[in-house]
Amino acid sequence: MIEIGIDVGGTFTDVVLLDREAGRVEVAKTASTPKDQSIGIVNGLSRLAIDAGKIDRFAHGSTVATNTVLERKGASVALLTTAGFRDLLEIGRTNRTKVYDIKLAKPAPLVARPLRFEIRQRRFVNGEAPVALHEDDVRAAALACVAAGVEAVAICFLHSYLDGADEQRAAEIVREVAPSLHVTTSADVVREYKEYERFSTTALNAYVMPVMDRYLSRLEARLAEAGCHEPIEMMKSSGGLMRASTARRYPVETLLSGPVAGVMGAIHIAERAGFPNLITYDMGGTSTDVALIADGKVTRTAETRISNLPVKTQMIDIKTVGAGGGSIASLLAGRTLKVGPHSAGADPGPACYGKGGQEPTVTDANLMLGRLSSSYALGGEIKIRPDRARAVVGEIAERLGLAPEVMADGILKLVNVTMASAIREISIQRGHDPRDFALIAFGGAGPMHACDLARDLSIPRVVVPPAPGNLCAFGLLVTDVVAERSETLLAQASTVDPADLAARFERLADTVIAELVDDGVPRDTIQIACTADMRYVGQKSELVVPVDLAQLTIDNVNEAFFRVYAERYGHERRVAPTEIVNVRVMATGAIEKADLARLSPPSANPQSDADGVLERRKVFFLQTGWVDCPVYDRYRLAAGRHVDGPAIVEELGATTVVGPTDTFTIDAQHNLVVTIGKERN
């Protein structure tokens, strides 16, 4: 059985081939093609020289939805909403995302005001419907959408989370009048209260729908031409896979598709290596993504923001910052060094790529300090040029009167500060001590910075898995198929009938099970997990609380809430009344998990000696200056090997930099485990 996992990043497209029967894994990288990501995917498959007709499973992590929103390159969208609420999407809420920024401007709404149509219809919060749906209003709005060249329509009626019948009927009318339009309803996308967040999420879904549909159509066509006819599985932001047909309906659920795949891969690695507490650290070409896993449990959030727009869907709690190998170093006012968030990306890329980049980047700084080899092609196809790195870093160093290597080290330290701040936000600021965690480093640039980052944060160990540059793609192949549904309850827990609560969960469970069965998942492999969004009465934000249907009592639900609340905030108040806001059900179709340690590694470099040393080269560390440093071929390092730093460990797609006071071993799972030493004064 041949399985393919492909993750598309801002700079590289990563490919993993998994053959369970033969017990082998192959990895490849190719430059991403931002204008059409499907081209880079086909290029990546060709690097593996595999017959596409033999592919039995194709899993994909994509940045299509994310980039569409961030770059504001989505479809022309219209909104059909309850009369009197035309401007709700623009008014939003009165809270400020940056309290002290007097120049703060709200993001422009995704739907222009002329394309927001009022429909006579009304439902109250108690479920009553004093104003029936005026179908003629819907028909007129649909015709106006066609005349305006609209591609997608979002239908958002007030309190439709209680009853979506009016939205469903309006959608039917729009499809009858204008069958070419993409149509989405809020009751289908997110059946939860909070009208602004629900409207925003639905508008985002509509904004991305045509773009995702075109992308998947191109990808399916290219794969079919190559001989692969297996359905595409897409990574969801919540940490599960869904079929491409579902992704077409709910593209908003793929906004964190790529980063989440890395988290799932890191969890898989950490479980087998015996690290229940971990901080995942994924540094790529344009950004860095970090997440915290405590006691092996992933933290999810039901509400976040993208491009400062609220998104109300289940997502793994990931913090993203604009810090990557392509992050550009520049001088503000000719004297203050700044690194990122702007990136050179894949085109033109860092100056050392020789593709036209004229500004120094983090990759150029690493190359100049000897941390990155100049003797092989990045991703197997980009031959790097040290002279270009020296030129652009030297130019900015001269302007500040610094030695070039000090300038390069300053660039690395500054980008590390940005990444360390992100890790502090998900750990220290939430009551977690980084010293209790291991840092799982992956991505093309992560292992180069991980030891310095861990030292700054007092994290004792860094774990670099096999093929770290392709871990996101591998994570796709160890992720289960998932379906989720939710609905709003919004009642004090003490007033909820346990039988009614159980019936809600069972109804949602039947829905998600049916979805997975329709996607070909065997019924006997499906597992159900129930949760409730809860808070104290009077609070605004909720916490996700696990619910055991076998022992469903209100006391047990409250007890679970108190426990989760204490874990998050360090205290609890059992005498205060609690509230159940939403109920959720997740159905999981488990797949057989591959083990990287049992798979055949790539061939070792024949140029390495018996100890695995490829060469010795000068590497700059600020505390020691230039030192003669051994460069190891990772594929020559057997389990149990112990090495003192400084050292450079090279492999396809990634380089690990081990500091002068650090040591590393190769564990039984073939992970490179670095013990962080203290800097010498």
Side-chain angles (χ1 to χ4, degrees), residues 6 33 82 88 91 149 235 237 255 334 398 400 424 462 487 514 574 620 631 639 668 673:
I6 291 188
T33 51
T82 303
L88 188 149
I91 295 171
M235 175 60 78
S237 301
L255 286 171
E398 184 178 356
L400 290 179
R424 288 189 178 96
V462 170
E487 65 178 42
R574 292 174 176 264
F620 183 84
V631 179
V673 182

Side-chain angles (χ1 to χ4, degrees), residues 268-291:
H268 176 84
I269 294 294
E271 285 178 349
R272 282 152 178 76
F275 292 101
N277 294 335
L278 62 143
I279 295 171
T280 68
Y281 164 52
D282 177 8
M283 182 180 180
T286 57
S287 63
T288 291
D289 306 296
V290 296

Side-chain angles (χ1 to χ4, degrees), residues 130-252:
V131 180
L133 175 69
H134 280 55
E135 297 188 357
D136 288 343
D137 290 358
V138 180
R139 292 187 179 91
L143 290 173
C145 288
V146 173
V150 166
E151 294 180 84
V153 175
I155 302 176
C156 305
F157 293 153
L158 205 64
H159 302 306
S160 60
Y161 63 88
L162 294 172
D163 187 336
D166 282 356
E167 287 191 353
Q168 182 178 356
R169 177 55 187 150
E172 292 172 354
I173 295 171
V174 172
R175 292 187 179 105
E176 291 169 2
V177 175
S180 63
L181 295 180
H182 292 79
V183 183
T184 186
T185 67
S186 72
D188 191 33
V189 175
V190 51
R191 197 156 190 161
E192 299 176 18
Y193 96 120
K194 293 184 179 178
E195 66 271 16
Y196 172 53
E197 289 76 9
R198 178 164 51 88
F199 282 26
S200 174
T201 305
T202 309
L204 278 165
N205 199 61
Y207 188 68
V208 179
M209 278 181 87
V211 179
M212 181 65 76
D213 182 56
R214 287 193 291 268
Y215 168 69
L216 289 174
S217 296
R218 289 194 303 268
L219 179 56
E220 288 167 343
R222 293 184 191 279
L223 292 175
E225 288 176 5
C228 176
H229 299 280
E230 291 299 314
I232 297 171
E233 297 176 351
M234 297 284 291
M235 175 60 78
K236 301 175 62 171
S237 301
S238 59
L241 292 170
M242 61 180 171
R243 289 288 177 88
S245 56
T246 306
R248 282 183 161 93
R249 288 180 59 195
Y250 308 112
V252 73

Side-chain angles (χ1 to χ4, degrees), residues 96-139:
R96 299 171 61 84
T97 54
K98 295 182 180 179
V99 178
Y100 300 108
D101 185 354
I102 62 174
K103 297 182 180 179
L104 179 68
K106 289 186 177 181
L110 295 178
V111 186
R113 195 169 193 274
L115 295 178
R116 299 181 220 141
F117 300 95
E118 295 186 344
I119 307 298
R120 285 173 289 176
Q121 174 276 348
R122 188 63 190 264
R123 184 176 297 277
F124 289 159
V125 71
N126 62 4
E128 295 179 4
V131 180
L133 175 69
H134 280 55
E135 297 188 357
D136 288 343
D137 290 358
V138 180
R139 292 187 179 91

Side-chain angles (χ1 to χ4, degrees), residues 42 57 91 99 211 244 280 285 296 320 323 357 465 479 540 588 625 629 657 660 679:
V42 175
R57 181 167 174 246
I91 295 171
V99 178
V211 179
T280 68
T320 301
T479 300
K540 176 179 179 291
T588 301
C629 186
V657 177
E679 288 187 353

Side-chain angles (χ1 to χ4, degrees), residues 413-453:
K413 278 186 165 48
L414 199 52
V415 77
N416 286 347
V417 167
T418 300
M419 296 184 290
S421 295
I423 293 176
R424 288 189 178 96
E425 184 174 332
I426 64 168
S427 58
I428 296 172
Q429 293 182 22
R430 298 181 183 178
H432 298 284
D433 188 340
R435 293 174 294 184
D436 297 331
F437 291 78
L439 187 68
I440 310 292
F442 54 99
M448 271 194 295
H449 293 254
C451 292
D452 287 339
L453 201 57

